[in-house]
Amino acid sequence: MLLLLSACAAPGTKESPYVPPAGSQWERRLPEELGFDGELLQQAIDYTLEHETTEIPEDPGVYLTERFKGIPHQEIVGPTAPRGGVNGIVLKGGYIVAEWGDTDREDMTFSVTKSYLSTVAGLAWDDGLIEDLDHPIGGYVTDDAFASEHNASIKWHNLLQQTSEWEGTLWGKPDIADRREGIDRELQTPGTFWEYNDVRVNLMAYSLLTLFKRPLPEVLKERVMDPIGASEDWRWHGYETSWTEIEGERMQSVSGGGHWGGGFFIDTRDHARFGLLALREGRWGDNQLVSSQWFEKAIEPTEIKQDYGYMWWLNTGRQLFPAAPESAFFALGAGSTNVIYVDRENDIVTVTRWVDGGEHVNEFIRLVLEALNEE
């Protein structure tokens, strides 16, 4: 089919880069066909298999319960599920050059969900539902979530960068439930302090729900996941407490992570498709699904947190993963046990699941790039 399309293309036209069709017919290439040393690439795969996470047990619900024991408001209110074993995939030019483990298994993905949420925000911005990211959100979300003097100044930009300092309770979880920089600390002016806080991320999801007036999984499925050929099996969960009414219709607001359960349950191949969309700046074949301008904004460093963008992790100064190029960016979950690595410099996407944290993911990346650059 690709040869036929090439033969029929008009003179001077440029073929779109390869993207996989829906289903399992994803084209593979031998590592050597795309510039890899096959033996070295196998060493990278073997390394992941030798370094399965010891932090996340087979039942992630146990991990969540134990990790936050003693901190108030940590009840699990969303679904959890047993996890699988180490698995992963390496794409080069959109083609599969390596795949190992059970990449068709839907597993919890924790904070990788945030990068999907960022993309839904990009759709809202593309559609003009968010006119300006520097607008206060209270001008759009008119209930009491942004009614206080402190919260009224919070902008879309702040929530996306995790600098909002929002104060309040959402779905029974007060913001102090995830004040990782200190439960008793004094809140700062929005935009001046960075804190990774899932209550505020969930507020982003709720705010977008009020704009679309449709469940966010429906929006993502229609606008992104179906067009990129993702499976029908992924799920984006909220909490049993996160039901709300929008224009008379009852809807569940989803969570941006798995801190209290919920978030994305998805397989590795679907993650790889999403990573490929990010690699191509929102373009899939001949269709621009999300604007390239959004992805430019999404990977712009936050002024006060240079390795963080709009819910994507960045490699500014090569601090996060020293083996990767500075221009690379990542969706990360549960202490880097779940990673989508996007490397435009080398035209690579990798997904790793259940590898034992950032140190070992960095070594995997080093080995992959060594395999590519080996002459």
Side-chain angles (χ1 to χ4, degrees), residues 106 221 225-226 229-234 266-267 270 273:
E106 287 73 40
K221 175 179 169 60
M225 301 303 276
D226 283 354
S231 72
E232 295 292 326
D233 298 326
W234 63 272
I266 190 169
D267 70 40
D270 285 347
R273 288 175 182 270

Side-chain angles (χ1 to χ4, degrees), residues 26 89 91 267-277 349 351:
W26 197 325
I89 194 166
L91 307 183
D267 70 40
T268 296
R269 281 191 160 214
D270 285 347
H271 267 337
R273 288 175 182 270
F274 179 67
L276 185 57
L277 181 72
V349 172
V351 181

Side-chain angles (χ1 to χ4, degrees), residues 70-146:
I71 303 173
H73 310 292
Q74 299 305 311
E75 303 79 15
I76 295 176
V77 288
T80 64
R83 69 168 178 85
V86 171
N87 66 87
I89 194 166
V90 177
L91 307 183
K92 170 73 170 169
Y95 300 102
I96 295 174
V97 292
E99 186 173 25
W100 63 101
D102 187 355
T103 58
D104 288 325
R105 178 191 173 95
E106 287 73 40
D107 265 343
M108 292 184 72
T109 198
F110 299 92
S111 287
V112 171
T113 307
K114 292 174 174 61
S115 299
Y116 286 90
L117 179 61
S118 170
T119 303
V120 176
L123 294 173
W125 184 73
D126 287 346
D127 290 353
L129 296 175
I130 301 173
E131 294 179 17
D132 190 325
L133 293 164
D134 283 320
H135 280 171
I137 304 177
Y140 298 74
V141 181
T142 56
D143 61 19
D144 61 1
F146 297 93

Side-chain angles (χ1 to χ4, degrees), residues 189-212:
T189 302
T192 67
F193 190 88
W194 188 89
E195 180 178 65
Y196 205 72
N197 186 301
D198 272 22
V199 175
R200 296 169 186 152
V201 172
N202 294 341
L203 179 66
M204 183 76 217
Y206 169 68
S207 300
L208 291 172
L209 176 64
T210 67
L211 295 187
F212 281 107

Side-chain angles (χ1 to χ4, degrees), residues 39-296:
E39 290 186 7
L40 290 177
L41 187 57
Q42 185 61 50
Q43 288 180 24
I45 295 167
D46 292 343
Y47 185 86
T48 69
L49 295 169
E50 292 163 3
H51 292 90
E52 183 169 356
T53 178
T54 56
E55 185 176 3
I56 313 292
E58 289 186 8
D59 181 357
V62 172
Y63 158 75
L64 294 172
T65 300
E66 292 299 316
R67 180 183 177 188
F68 303 108
K69 185 179 289 185
I71 303 173
H73 310 292
Q74 299 305 311
E75 303 79 15
I76 295 176
V77 288
T80 64
R83 69 168 178 85
V86 171
N87 66 87
I89 194 166
V90 177
L91 307 183
K92 170 73 170 169
Y95 300 102
I96 295 174
V97 292
E99 186 173 25
W100 63 101
D102 187 355
T103 58
D104 288 325
R105 178 191 173 95
E106 287 73 40
D107 265 343
M108 292 184 72
T109 198
F110 299 92
S111 287
V112 171
T113 307
K114 292 174 174 61
S115 299
Y116 286 90
L117 179 61
S118 170
T119 303
V120 176
L123 294 173
W125 184 73
D126 287 346
D127 290 353
L129 296 175
I130 301 173
E131 294 179 17
D132 190 325
L133 293 164
D134 283 320
H135 280 171
I137 304 177
Y140 298 74
V141 181
T142 56
D143 61 19
D144 61 1
F146 297 93
S148 72
E149 182 179 353
H150 175 81
N151 291 339
S153 65
I154 296 171
K155 303 170 182 178
W156 293 102
H157 187 71
N158 302 140
L159 265 189
L160 284 161
Q161 291 187 329
Q162 303 225 51
T163 62
S164 74
E165 288 285 86
W166 182 81
E167 182 177 27
T169 298
L170 182 68
W171 316 133
K173 300 289 185 185
D175 70 286
I176 62 169
D178 211 25
R179 277 199 203 166
R180 305 186 194 196
E181 301 302 321
I183 289 175
D184 299 324
R185 70 177 178 82
E186 184 177 343
L187 289 174
Q188 305 299 304
T189 302
T192 67
F193 190 88
W194 188 89
E195 180 178 65
Y196 205 72
N197 186 301
D198 272 22
V199 175
R200 296 169 186 152
V201 172
N202 294 341
L203 179 66
M204 183 76 217
Y206 169 68
S207 300
L208 291 172
L209 176 64
T210 67
L211 295 187
F212 281 107
K213 305 185 191 311
R214 295 175 59 197
L216 299 193
E218 287 184 11
V219 175
L220 186 70
K221 175 179 169 60
E222 178 184 295
R223 301 280 296 276
V224 173
M225 301 303 276
D226 283 354
I228 67 175
S231 72
E232 295 292 326
D233 298 326
W234 63 272
R235 296 291 181 269
W236 192 357
H237 297 285
Y239 305 143
E240 61 193 34
T241 55
S242 65
W243 290 89
T244 189
E245 191 171 290
I246 305 289
E247 294 189 341
E249 187 174 347
R250 191 167 181 260
M251 302 179 190
Q252 189 181 42
S253 189
V254 290
S255 67
H259 195 145
W260 303 294
F264 252 86
F265 289 46
I266 190 169
D267 70 40
T268 296
R269 281 191 160 214
D270 285 347
H271 267 337
R273 288 175 182 270
F274 179 67
L276 185 57
L277 181 72
L279 181 84
R280 303 269 172 79
E281 299 181 88
R283 191 168 187 81
W284 194 261
D286 295 327
N287 300 310
Q288 192 74 43
L289 304 180
V290 187
S291 70
S292 60
Q293 291 87 349
W294 175 259
F295 276 99
E296 288 174 15

Side-chain angles (χ1 to χ4, degrees), residues 315-332:
N315 208 33
T316 309
R318 299 178 71 177
Q319 293 182 25
L320 192 59
F321 292 108
E326 185 168 12
S327 59
F329 55 102
F330 315 83
L332 304 181

